Amino acid sequence: MSKLTSLIAGIIFGIGLTISEMINPEKVLGFLNLFGGWDPSLAFVMVGALVVTTPFIFIYKKQKPLFAESFSLSQKKDLDNKLIIGAVLFGAGWGLAGLCPGPAISSLAIMNISSVIFVVAMFLGFYLSKFINVQSS
């Protein structure tokens, strides 16, 4: 049942990304371009997501999920080299390509060759990261 729920949630998430045009790299890059033709519309998408999600976090944080024994939340609170390097790579990839993982996978539905290349490179990066040893600080 949890796999079906995950699938349905993923489909809803993908539809939301498509409606908000998060799968359009030009739209995302316009949002990131603060000194040119800045497009603030994605800020409304982010604020809308927070407005919808935040109350549910506070209401249901003491209860267990419907299809799991507990919430799976990271207990790690410290900054280390892996987190910093990963954040820099994520931000650079988002700024250069105009896509992050969720919208990139959703954009595969429109078969944009740039999105296909991005997703292949992303999964190659996931695989290669297993072989890179970054010492924690």
Side-chain angles (χ1 to χ4, degrees), residues 43-59:
F44 294 109
V45 172
M46 293 177 201
V47 170
L50 289 171
V51 167
V52 170
T53 304
T54 303
F56 289 104
I57 291 172
F58 287 106
I59 292 169

Side-chain angles (χ1 to χ4, degrees), residues 33-122:
N33 185 3
L34 298 177
F35 303 109
W38 185 59
D39 180 359
S41 61
L42 292 184
F44 294 109
V45 172
M46 293 177 201
V47 170
L50 289 171
V51 167
V52 170
T53 304
T54 303
F56 289 104
I57 291 172
F58 287 106
I59 292 169
Y60 294 109
K61 71 180 178 181
K62 300 288 185 199
Q63 298 175 10
K64 78 177 204 70
L66 290 176
F67 303 112
E69 293 301 316
S70 64
F71 285 103
S72 179
L73 301 173
S74 175
Q75 299 304 312
K76 190 173 179 181
K77 304 290 184 215
D78 57 327
L79 291 175
D80 62 6
N81 290 340
K82 286 183 178 184
L83 177 65
I84 293 168
I85 291 169
V88 168
L89 289 173
F90 179 89
W94 195 40
L96 290 171
L99 290 169
C100 62
I105 291 170
S106 295
S107 69
L108 290 177
I110 59 174
M111 292 305 294
N112 179 338
I113 190 66
S114 299
S115 297
V116 172
I117 292 169
F118 180 88
V119 170
V120 168
M122 179 178 69

